[in-house]
Amino acid sequence: MDILSLIGVLLALVAIIGGSIAKGSGLEALWNAAAFVIVVVGTIAAALMQTRLKVFMHALKIFPWVFMAPRIETEAAIQKLVNWSQIARKEGLLGLETLAEQEPDPFSAKGLQLLVDGTEPEAIRNILEVDLNTREQFDLQGAKVYESMGVYAPTLGIIGAVMGLMAVMQNLADPSRLGAGIAAAFVATIYGIASANLFFLPVGNKLKNTVQSQSAYREMIIDGIISIAEGENPRNIETKLRGYML
């Protein structure tokens, strides 16, 4: 569980709800069904218009990464790669065949199988980098769905406010309804700006950071496998790979 994300959500709620209460508006002032439909539904509609279904579904799938990102155990991976290099030096690359079949990580298993097959180091790098880049780009497209919603939401909020003011202008003859009408009109602006800056944009950036961490991890795996293919000393491999640790 990412405690910072959880704290961020709680503080966002405190900022909006607590701020409304502190200003004397109360919770009731924050709810307006029409503003919700215009901003939230409109934002989702805009995102759907620009996104392929496969990408949009992937964006929903990776959303939990905001609170619980896939575990990246760099230290364990380094030790595993060093162990593979030791086996390769003692038994040859064919000694890794059983490990390739048992490896739970598909990316590492693919690299090991390429080693066992006697693939040239440069070819191994090219094949694995295609895998890495394809996965990275697809994950980034999912993260950008939330970024795009963060761009659309404030604009939809302004549209909602204008529509609310149009309704107010139709009731100028009844001064008793003007105050409530104007307040309701600006609720849409709050929805748009708050959802963009406290939810959509932070979620997009958090997912992008997670994707970059996963890509760096896979780059380390590639370097380790290439080093094994080139017959480097296990100790040198470990020293090189530790450069990926922060």
Side-chain angles (χ1 to χ4, degrees):
M1 176 65 72
D2 190 327
I3 190 65
L4 290 181
S5 292
L6 185 59
I7 292 173
V9 170
L10 294 176
L11 289 179
L13 293 174
V14 169
I16 298 299
I17 297 175
S20 179
I21 294 174
K23 288 291 186 179
S25 300
L27 291 177
E28 298 82 3
L30 289 177
W31 172 246
N32 185 279
F36 182 87
V37 170
I38 292 169
V39 176
V40 176
V41 177
T43 298
I44 294 174
L48 290 174
M49 286 287 290
Q50 74 159 38
T51 308
R52 292 184 296 126
L53 177 61
K54 186 176 181 180
V55 172
F56 189 81
M57 296 305 296
H58 187 61
L60 297 179
K61 181 180 178 180
I62 66 176
F63 175 76
W65 292 0
V66 175
F67 300 98
M68 192 172 292
R71 294 188 65 181
I72 297 177
E73 299 180 346
T74 305
E75 177 64 35
I78 291 174
Q79 293 304 319
K80 184 163 58 175
L81 286 162
V82 171
N83 181 53
W84 292 346
S85 69
Q86 292 170 343
I87 293 173
R89 284 174 70 89
K90 293 177 181 178
E91 304 176 19
L93 294 177
L94 288 176
L96 299 171
E97 186 170 13
T98 303
L99 293 175
E101 296 171 354
Q102 298 174 348
E103 174 58 38
D105 176 25
F107 188 79
S108 298
K110 185 173 185 178
L112 270 178
Q113 190 59 55
L114 290 170
L115 277 176
V116 171
D117 292 342
T119 310
E120 290 296 321
E122 191 61 30
I124 293 176
R125 180 178 295 280
N126 291 337
I127 292 170
L128 293 181
E129 283 184 347
V130 167
D131 251 25
L132 184 154
N133 292 332
T134 301
R135 170 54 56 183
E136 181 181 47
Q137 290 305 312
F138 190 49
D139 288 342
L140 286 176
Q141 286 178 25
K144 288 178 181 178
V145 170
Y146 296 98
E147 281 193 339
S148 68
M149 294 171 81
V151 172
Y152 297 133
T155 304
L156 268 298
I158 294 173
I159 292 174
V162 172
M163 294 174 69
L165 291 175
M166 289 170 60
V168 169
M169 298 298 289
Q170 294 175 354
N171 293 287
L172 287 177
D174 185 359
S176 63
R177 300 177 61 181
L178 294 182
I182 293 173
F186 284 108
V187 170
T189 305
I190 294 175
Y191 285 174
I193 296 176
S195 64
N197 291 282
L198 295 177
F199 183 74
F200 294 127
L201 294 177
V203 165
N205 286 326
K206 192 64 169 270
L207 290 175
K208 285 169 66 176
N209 289 336
T210 301
V211 171
Q212 289 170 357
S213 296
Q214 292 178 337
S215 294
Y217 174 79
R218 293 189 180 103
E219 287 173 359
M220 182 191 74
I221 297 296
I222 292 174
D223 269 355
I225 289 175
I226 296 301
S227 297
I228 295 172
E230 293 176 342
E232 289 189 29
N233 184 287
R235 183 171 297 177
N236 291 342
I237 293 176
E238 181 176 5
T239 301
K240 178 197 294 185
L241 297 183
R242 287 197 176 279
Y244 284 90
M245 297 185 68
L246 294 176

